[in-house]
């Protein structure tokens, strides 16, 4: 249930409503917008008499949220959420480009790639330091050494950094180095991890699970938000279907669908979405045209020798061309990069 307060509701009136909800055993989440405050009441609201609130001072109207996700729902927060980090923001007019290697491999590799993606216009540097590999014999990531390099490269080139978090015990470690936690597809429904991330205040990029429905993505976002961390960015990265030509099937329709159902920003990952270098740029262009608030793209200076995801990594020149094309697309839809 959402209680929308009048524009001129006083802090005391807001407090009284919150107290009434707490007395009914409900959890309160408040969003103070520029114009008015919105109070979300989470818990069993079926027995709550709406009229008690409807006629309280300062209340404009009450909305019952029918979806199973509440805080992530657009009924809770009508306007797009704009998530701020490290001087940047996502969810506004600007389309945010995150780029870098699948995995941090060495200082030379990372700095070379960071320099090229920054020059092309990316603002966030990606790079895995803890890698969730299908085979236990594959490269598992550089660990903290990789995070340090990522931070150093981010600082050197004036970029924010994002890296994948594999388990809750790593939160403090990653928090020291990254601006955004990335929850990978394999962990989208690791509810314990999501709950622990909900206690932090850093943005979380939540990747769609390989066979997750849109509702499941939003329920996973709800886990993070229900603990108090509203800084969730959804990410479409392709799903498993009967098609085997591409690594995954990039679900472009998830972008407008999530935008309609939720106020959260959505980013697209055409690298994992296709698994094939030649198809990354077309899917990136399509995702931005479909309304994505950002892209996360794998770029490598020597993809043939990359320790992971070389075949889907763009060469720096390809990334640069793509950025030029995205300038035209964002201009056409009233946005910018
Ligand atoms: C990655 O970003 O390198 C990655 C492993 O992504 P996903 O979780 O989408 O497979
Ligand atoms: Mn990868």
């Amino acid at each position: 249930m959402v209680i929308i307060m009048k524009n001129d509701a006083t802090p005391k009136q807001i407090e009284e409503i919150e107290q009434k909800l707490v007395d009914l055993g409900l959890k309160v989440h408040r969003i103070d917008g520029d114009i008015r405050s919105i109070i979300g009441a989470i818990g069993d609201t079926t027995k709550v008499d709406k009229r008690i609130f409807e006629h309280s001072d300062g209340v404009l109207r009450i909305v019952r949220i029918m979806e199973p996700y509440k805080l992530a729902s657009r009924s809770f927060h009508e306007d797009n959420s704009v998530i701020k980090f490290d001087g940047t923001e996502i969810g506004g007019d600007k389309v945010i480009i995150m780029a870098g290697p699948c995995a941090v491999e060495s200082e030379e590799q990372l700095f070379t790639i960071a320099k090229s993606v920054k020059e092309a216009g990316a603002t966030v540097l990606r790079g895995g330091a803890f890698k969730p590999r299908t085979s236990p014999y594959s490269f598992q990531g550089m660990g903290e050494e990789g995070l340090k390099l990522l931070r150093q490269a981010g600082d050197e080139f004036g970029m924010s950094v994002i890296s994948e978090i594999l388990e809750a015990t790593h939160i403090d470690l990653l928090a020291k180095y990254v601006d955004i936690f990335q929850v990978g597809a394999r962990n989208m429904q690791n509810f314990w991890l999501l709950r622990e991330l909900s206690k932090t205040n850093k943005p979380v990029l939540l990747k769609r699970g390989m066979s997750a429905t849109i509702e499941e993505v939003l329920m996973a976002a709800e886990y993070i938000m229900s603990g108090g961390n509203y800084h969730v960015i959804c990410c479409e990265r392709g799903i498993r279907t009967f098609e085997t030509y591409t690594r995954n099937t990039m679900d472009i329709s998830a972008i407008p669908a999530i935008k309609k159902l939720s106020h959260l920003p959505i980013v697209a990952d055409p690298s994992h979405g296709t698994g094939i270098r030649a198809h990354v740029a077309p899917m990136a262009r399509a995702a931005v045209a479909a309304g994505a608030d950002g892209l996360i793209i794998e770029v490598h200076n020597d993809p043939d020798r990359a320790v992971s995801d070389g075949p889907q990594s763009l060469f720096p020149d390809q990334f640069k061309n793509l950025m030029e094309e995205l300038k035209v697309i964002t201009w056409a839809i009233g946005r910018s990069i």
Side-chain angles (χ1 to χ4, degrees), residues 163-225:
S163 198
E164 180 164 355
I165 174 115
L166 287 186
E167 56 168 297
T169 56
H170 289 170
I171 290 180
D172 290 343
L173 175 68
L174 262 91
K176 277 194 346 211
Y177 302 102
V178 307
D179 300 297
I180 309 172
F181 291 117
Q182 174 178 326
V183 173
R186 291 155 193 81
N187 264 322
M188 188 205 85
Q189 284 186 315
N190 180 343
F191 299 120
W192 187 257
L193 173 62
L194 303 182
R195 263 196 204 291
E196 292 302 307
L197 287 169
S198 79
K199 298 174 192 160
T200 73
N201 59 9
K202 268 194 204 278
V204 178
L205 181 105
L206 178 66
K207 287 191 148 196
R208 183 177 186 179
M210 287 182 199
S211 60
T213 63
I214 287 170
E215 187 169 295
E216 285 165 341
V217 175
L218 294 174
M219 290 307 288
E222 188 80 10
Y223 260 91
I224 303 169
M225 299 175 84

Side-chain angles (χ1 to χ4, degrees), residues 15 17 36 44 49 94 115 120 190 200 203 216-217 240 248-249 261 305 308 318 320 332:
E15 219 173 272
I17 295 289
R36 59 172 74 103
D44 183 9
D49 185 352
K94 204 165 176 264
K115 184 170 187 289
N190 180 343
T200 73
E216 285 165 341
V217 175
R240 281 273 165 86
N248 291 294
T249 297
L261 297 170
R305 272 186 271 275
S308 61
Q318 291 176 310
K320 197 169 165 235

Side-chain angles (χ1 to χ4, degrees), residues 157-314:
F157 298 105
M159 302 175 83
S160 306
V161 301
I162 178 169
S163 198
E164 180 164 355
I165 174 115
L166 287 186
E167 56 168 297
T169 56
H170 289 170
I171 290 180
D172 290 343
L173 175 68
L174 262 91
K176 277 194 346 211
Y177 302 102
V178 307
D179 300 297
I180 309 172
F181 291 117
Q182 174 178 326
V183 173
R186 291 155 193 81
N187 264 322
M188 188 205 85
Q189 284 186 315
N190 180 343
F191 299 120
W192 187 257
L193 173 62
L194 303 182
R195 263 196 204 291
E196 292 302 307
L197 287 169
S198 79
K199 298 174 192 160
T200 73
N201 59 9
K202 268 194 204 278
V204 178
L205 181 105
L206 178 66
K207 287 191 148 196
R208 183 177 186 179
M210 287 182 199
S211 60
T213 63
I214 287 170
E215 187 169 295
E216 285 165 341
V217 175
L218 294 174
M219 290 307 288
E222 188 80 10
Y223 260 91
I224 303 169
M225 299 175 84
S226 65
N229 185 353
Y230 296 124
H231 312 303
V232 182
I233 303 158
C234 299
C235 177
E236 164 58 39
R237 49 77 73 200
I239 46 173
R240 281 273 165 86
T241 66
F242 53 80
E243 181 56 70
T244 54
Y245 175 74
T246 41
R247 181 176 175 185
N248 291 294
T249 297
M250 178 100 182
D251 181 8
I252 297 280
S253 68
I255 298 164
I258 288 182
K259 280 261 151 227
K260 179 172 178 359
L261 297 170
S262 176
H263 53 91
L264 296 173
I266 173 145
V267 158
D269 174 349
S271 308
H272 296 85
T274 60
I276 301 170
R277 183 177 305 131
H279 303 324
V280 171
M283 285 294 105
R285 297 193 298 257
V288 170
D293 297 298
L295 294 170
I296 180 161
I297 298 181
E298 288 181 343
V299 177
H300 202 288
N301 56 328
D302 190 1
D304 288 346
R305 272 186 271 275
V307 296
S308 61
D309 289 348
Q312 67 191 33
S313 299
L314 293 185

Side-chain angles (χ1 to χ4, degrees), residues 138-149:
S138 302
F139 177 68
Q140 305 285 309
M142 286 181 75
E144 187 168 3
E145 274 316 296
L147 293 174
K148 278 187 190 157
L149 289 175

Side-chain angles (χ1 to χ4, degrees), residues 8-238:
D8 57 358
T10 64
K12 188 164 175 284
Q13 288 168 340
I14 295 173
E15 219 173 272
E16 276 168 13
I17 295 289
E18 287 184 329
Q19 193 54 53
K20 275 189 200 166
L21 294 167
V22 171
D23 292 346
L24 287 165
L26 300 169
K27 236 175 137 189
V28 169
H29 291 263
R30 190 172 88 218
I31 294 188
D32 293 318
D34 291 340
I35 302 173
R36 59 172 74 103
S37 293
I38 296 174
I39 304 170
I42 309 287
D44 183 9
T45 56
T46 48
K47 291 184 195 69
V48 174
D49 185 352
K50 245 174 91 174
R51 287 165 304 179
I52 302 180
F53 293 96
E54 247 158 16
H55 301 297
S56 297
D57 291 340
V59 172
L60 179 67
R61 87 190 129 89
I62 315 280
V63 180
R64 286 226 188 252
I65 302 180
M66 303 315 284
E67 296 88 9
Y69 44 88
K70 310 289 179 193
L71 302 170
S73 165
R74 212 176 254 286
S75 325
F76 176 55
H77 192 261
E78 247 175 83
D79 300 328
N80 290 335
S81 275
V82 178
I83 295 174
K84 298 187 169 61
F85 56 91
D86 195 30
T88 316
E89 55 179 45
I90 185 156
D93 287 343
K94 204 165 176 264
V95 175
I96 297 299
I97 309 297
M98 311 181 186
C102 176
V104 179
E105 298 170 17
S106 68
E107 183 177 336
E108 198 203 342
Q109 171 248 21
L110 185 66
F111 276 64
T112 307
I113 298 169
K115 184 170 187 289
S116 68
V117 296
K118 170 70 186 191
E119 279 169 5
T123 49
V124 181
L125 179 63
R126 64 147 290 151
F130 294 92
K131 295 302 300 175
R133 305 306 300 280
T134 303
S135 166
Y137 308 116
S138 302
F139 177 68
Q140 305 285 309
M142 286 181 75
E144 187 168 3
E145 274 316 296
L147 293 174
K148 278 187 190 157
L149 289 175
L150 196 64
R151 183 73 268 164
Q152 284 164 8
D155 291 346
E156 168 89 17
F157 298 105
M159 302 175 83
S160 306
V161 301
I162 178 169
S163 198
E164 180 164 355
I165 174 115
L166 287 186
E167 56 168 297
T169 56
H170 289 170
I171 290 180
D172 290 343
L173 175 68
L174 262 91
K176 277 194 346 211
Y177 302 102
V178 307
D179 300 297
I180 309 172
F181 291 117
Q182 174 178 326
V183 173
R186 291 155 193 81
N187 264 322
M188 188 205 85
Q189 284 186 315
N190 180 343
F191 299 120
W192 187 257
L193 173 62
L194 303 182
R195 263 196 204 291
E196 292 302 307
L197 287 169
S198 79
K199 298 174 192 160
T200 73
N201 59 9
K202 268 194 204 278
V204 178
L205 181 105
L206 178 66
K207 287 191 148 196
R208 183 177 186 179
M210 287 182 199
S211 60
T213 63
I214 287 170
E215 187 169 295
E216 285 165 341
V217 175
L218 294 174
M219 290 307 288
E222 188 80 10
Y223 260 91
I224 303 169
M225 299 175 84
S226 65
N229 185 353
Y230 296 124
H231 312 303
V232 182
I233 303 158
C234 299
C235 177
E236 164 58 39
R237 49 77 73 200

